[in-house]
Amino acid sequence: MVARGKYSANGNITYFPTATNMLKLIWDSNLADGASSYAHTCPRKHSKGDYGENIIILTNTEHLSQIDIGREASYKWFNEFQEKQWKSKKMNFRSEKHQRDFGHATQMIWQSTRVVGCGFEKCNGTTYALVCRYKPRGNMEKGSIYEIGTTCTQCPEGTYCESGLCTPND
């Protein structure tokens, strides 16, 4: 888990600086409804809104369940760090290149993002569109992806530390 300094997928480990303030994402059914509606269009580009958005088109998915499709998309988005070789020891979002190369992955771990909602649609045959929306949006140029330091030492008021993430008390 990134907040605690590493991420593992398919046997590969990527190490990160630990996060002082990474929030646990909470499911938001309103965001999910909007993401689902947009997924029904089988989109090839991002919509416009006051949220962050990840989109992926997955092919050859006939053998995958809905949960597996979501898991596969998350792995692909987060593996941008490994595939594009994130080399920075600073967790700052600097440019359009970061957006292009790492934007899906950084949106998933952006320090101020609190909620997520996703939807998917079978577009044709074995092709699915999956859309996830995040609030507040991340990937703000010159913004911090997260603060580096001892895990959970800067959790916002109203949260507690759970598995390295700042988790709402509710």
Side-chain angles (χ1 to χ4, degrees), residues 11 15 24 41 45 49 52 61 75 122 139 147:
Y15 292 94
K24 179 179 181 179
T41 69
K45 61 182 182 175
T61 55
Y75 286 148
K122 185 174 186 175
N139 294 347
E147 298 300 321

Side-chain angles (χ1 to χ4, degrees), residues 61-72:
T61 55
E62 68 274 2
H63 62 285
L64 298 178
S65 69
Q66 292 178 3
I67 296 287
D68 289 337
I69 288 169
R71 187 177 293 121
E72 180 73 14

Side-chain angles (χ1 to χ4, degrees), residues 93-170:
F93 195 82
R94 294 191 306 267
S95 67
E96 219 175 279
K97 179 177 174 20
H98 276 93
Q99 174 68 23
R100 184 178 60 251
D101 290 349
F102 306 106
H104 299 104
T106 55
Q107 176 60 80
M108 293 171 61
I109 62 171
W110 197 265
Q111 67 180 340
S112 61
T113 299
R114 294 182 171 270
V115 294
V116 62
C118 302
F120 77 101
E121 178 68 25
K122 185 174 186 175
C123 296
N124 58 50
T126 59
T127 301
Y128 283 85
L130 182 89
V131 177
C132 289
R133 290 183 174 169
Y134 306 82
K135 271 192 169 183
R137 76 180 320 139
N139 294 347
M140 306 306 286
E141 192 163 346
K142 297 184 183 172
S144 291
I145 301 167
Y146 62 81
E147 298 300 321
I148 296 170
T150 304
T151 303
C152 287
T153 56
Q154 293 181 24
C155 286
E157 188 174 326
T159 65
Y160 65 96
C161 187
E162 177 185 44
S163 301
L165 296 171
C166 302
T167 304
N169 289 329
D170 302 326

Side-chain angles (χ1 to χ4, degrees), residues 28-38 117-118 133:
D28 183 291
S29 57
N30 290 326
L31 279 178
D33 289 345
S36 184
S37 292
Y38 195 54
C118 302
R133 290 183 174 169

Side-chain angles (χ1 to χ4, degrees), residues 14 18 26 42 51 56 59 80 83 139 145 148-149 157-158 167:
T14 301
T18 55
I26 305 300
C42 297
Y51 42 77
I56 192 167
T59 58
E80 290 173 345
E83 292 169 7
N139 294 347
I145 301 167
I148 296 170
E157 188 174 326
T167 304

